[in-house]
Amino acid sequence: MKYMVQMTVNPPKDMDPQEWQEILRREKEYGQAFMKNGKFQHIWRIVGEFANVSIFDVESNDELHTILAGFPLFPYMDMNVTALAKHPSALN
Amino acid sequence: MKYMVQMTVNPPKDMDPQEWQEILRREKEYGQAFMKNGKFQHIWRIVGEFANVSIFDVESNDELHTILAGFPLFPYMDMNVTALAKHPSALN
Amino acid sequence: MKYMVQMTVNPPKDMDPQEWQEILRREKEYGQAFMKNGKFQHIWRIVGEFANVSIFDVESNDELHTILAGFPLFPYMDMNVTALAKHPSALN
Amino acid sequence: MKYMVQMTVNPPKDMDPQEWQEILRREKEYGQAFMKNGKFQHIWRIVGEFANVSIFDVESNDELHTILAGFPLFPYMDMNVTALAKHPSALN
Amino acid sequence: MKYMVQMTVNPPKDMDPQEWQEILRREKEYGQAFMKNGKFQHIWRIVGEFANVSIFDVESNDELHTILAGFPLFPYMDMNVTALAKHPSALN
Amino acid sequence: MKYMVQMTVNPPKDMDPQEWQEILRREKEYGQAFMKNGKFQHIWRIVGEFANVSIFDVESNDELHTILAGFPLFPYMDMNVTALAKHPSALN
Amino acid sequence: MKYMVQMTVNPPKDMDPQEWQEILRREKEYGQAFMKNGKFQHIWRIVGEFANVSIFDVESNDELHTILAGFPLFPYMDMNVTALAKHPSALN
Amino acid sequence: MKYMVQMTVNPPKDMDPQEWQEILRREKEYGQAFMKNGKFQHIWRIVGEFANVSIFDVESNDELHTILAGFPLFPYMDMNVTALAKHPSALN
Amino acid sequence: MKYMVQMTVNPPKDMDPQEWQEILRREKEYGQAFMKNGKFQHIWRIVGEFANVSIFDVESNDELHTILAGFPLFPYMDMNVTALAKHPSALN
Amino acid sequence: MKYMVQMTVNPPKDMDPQEWQEILRREKEYGQAFMKNGKFQHIWRIVGEFANVSIFDVESNDELHTILAGFPLFPYMDMNVTALAKHPSALN
């Protein structure tokens, strides 16, 4: 079941740069674990923004929320979720 | 080069239903030609709306505009284009 | 799996009133079939508007879109879908 | 008398984490008291957000405001209230 | 129980002027019936707009919706309802 | 001459609670002075918000601004002013 | 007492061009009568739009609404009124 | 003196296609006259939209409005004008 | 050449009150210098807001930006500039 | 391949002024390097704002993002990117 998630990062103004780098490192590791198991299918950078467009493929709304809320950057991101369905023009 | 295009269809109020069905048939045919040659990579229905989220992979802004303006539904759609770049967390 | 759907009706300006009443009758019949089988759990009128807040409980995004797109009023409604998850404060 | 309340939490940037956990604990306790007496009928998490959709069933606007303003998180939430009425398509 | 209702009139483009005048006459008659029984407490014109700010005092959300949906201009108005509570600074 | 004023309070994040209580006490005293002399005719709490809908009856735009800018909470409020005129459907 | 009024014209799609020219002629005549008596102090075209920024100097909200609602173009304009007060930096 | 003008075309729903083509032909001719004399310096298509971003270099606000209002498509376009000044980082 | 400028002041949260008063004093002095030489023709307070509507009459976009960016409050204001042209209904 | 980028600067509230001046100096140097190699073709100040309209000519979305994310002011700017195509009315 597919969802588009648009994520915008709002970096905290006063965090220690090393702590921030550590959060970014864990963010990447956390995200890639779900890319490898097929649940986080695509991520693209929005040009000119600290933001991305992501596509998830999960079993349920609850599973998606659990994954999203677990991102190390979750407290520093605005997320917007769009539920997607199969399109009649899609191949296969 | 990737782009997200969000398309919303505004069906004309007074078109002959058969003419409309014919436009929809040509729309599907036109879109699938680009799906088959790899330029129109994904299309998903937005749940509850006569709208979709699409991903294109083309050579240039001009090529994308030419493809989009050629859709039989182009005069009946609002389109919103977002330029996408590679994300540093993406695999490979 | 729960979803909130906000629906706003935009009645066509020039439809025959009897045809409109017939669509409304079929709308009610269609909606109540899903209320009876438990998929359409709640519907409330938004005070002062020709609009409602609805709660659906379905198996997937695709099932929800199929139900929503089947409403006789679908061509005359704006729909806005919000995917819902279990809240940690909810009782059981 | 039903109301939909959409609540979005804006956690304070600089609160002591233990103090914040204590507020969240009291929030849950406060909310569940009204769930148990039937006034707070539903709460769902909005997927991907620190936000919820809630349904209240109370005697008056004043009672609703008193309940909402008493939430321990009230100073840290944006709330949006929609007055609801019975829908003619609802069963019973 | 008080509510503010903001109403904006969108006159139909092609109605017979006499029919429109008749609807306006019935609108005034309908509204004044509720002014006389105390349920429609205030109405003010918004300067420069075919719109008003109104204050209602009714028993329930359902009663308010029934009154509002009964206005002869209801199909030609956008309405926005705000539930109001007693303010702690108000004089008795 | 009537005006609707919508006021939303944005409490400062770091003010001493006693100082804030003192400002709220003076706010109430200041407002009630104008309620007593008839210039501040109504105030209602917007349910679920630290906000109100107020109706003023003053001699001029300048008098209204002088009153509004004198509120002790003025630096902590967003205000939105709507000029009102007599409505042709009003009684008397 | 000053007010800024922003007016945007929405020409009707199907009016006879001569009838439209006649409305525009009466609009100019009506406006200039109030310019000559000092109540309509300024009018400027917004560059690129069929819209203007106007400044009125009248005795009351009611007088302003009466003037605005009397414009021959009133049914074809969106108006937005801002109440103005003397600014402390103004000369004299 | 530079201005950015964003223009969006809203084609009329019921115009004769040949009349529309003739307006488009005159639009191009009119625009190119100002491109040739240096007043209309750039025009780019916004990808996916019947819209453009244009840069004008004219002597005054009045001259710009005269040029813009003279476009054959003016009655069918939304225009948004942004006044531009020299940027301190620009070369020369 | 006329421009409307809407200015909204966002006072800094933590500035020394005397320093702020000194900036306000210089703001007034700076503004009045341009009022006296005819470039800053009108300023009105927006009722209920720490904001104004101003009319400037200058030679060019560059001159306007230089004047606006020189205001002592410039770093604490949101400005919105509208280019104005002569209106065909204006007298003279 | 052309893109319009609208950039708005949000200066940090508490940065050392000398550090800020150094960032601005590097910003200018960085930008001018791309102006000199032809990738950053135009920059104009938006009158009254700490913002600009810029035109880039690059090979790909990825190249544009790399350039934009490298601006020393990138963490202090909101950027909005519009993909541009050749317009059929453009000369040559």
Side-chain angles (χ1 to χ4, degrees), chain H residues 2-51:
Chain H
K2 297 287 183 17
Y3 298 83
M4 173 174 66
V5 185
Q6 293 169 289
M7 305 177 184
T8 303
V9 184
N10 308 300
K13 303 243 183 271
D14 47 5
M15 186 177 280
D16 173 69
Q18 256 181 307
E19 186 181 351
W20 182 241
Q21 289 307 314
E22 171 61 13
I23 292 176
L24 292 179
R25 191 195 59 71
R26 289 195 292 119
E27 175 81 2
K28 186 170 180 174
E29 185 178 283
Y30 180 90
Q32 291 192 338
F34 290 101
M35 291 175 197
K36 286 171 185 158
N37 72 12
K39 293 188 181 296
F40 190 170
Q41 298 203 319
H42 300 283
I43 185 169
W44 299 285
R45 172 66 76 215
I46 296 176
V47 175
E49 305 187 22
F50 198 170

Side-chain angles (χ1 to χ4, degrees), chain B residues 58-90:
Chain B
V58 297
E59 295 301 307
S60 69
N61 290 346
D62 283 301
E63 184 186 8
L64 181 60
H65 186 70
T66 301
I67 293 173
L68 296 179
F71 271 102
L73 279 178
F74 184 73
Y76 310 106
M77 290 201 285
D78 289 325
M79 287 193 185
N80 193 284
V81 171
T82 304
L84 301 174
K86 189 164 165 30
H87 192 284
S89 294

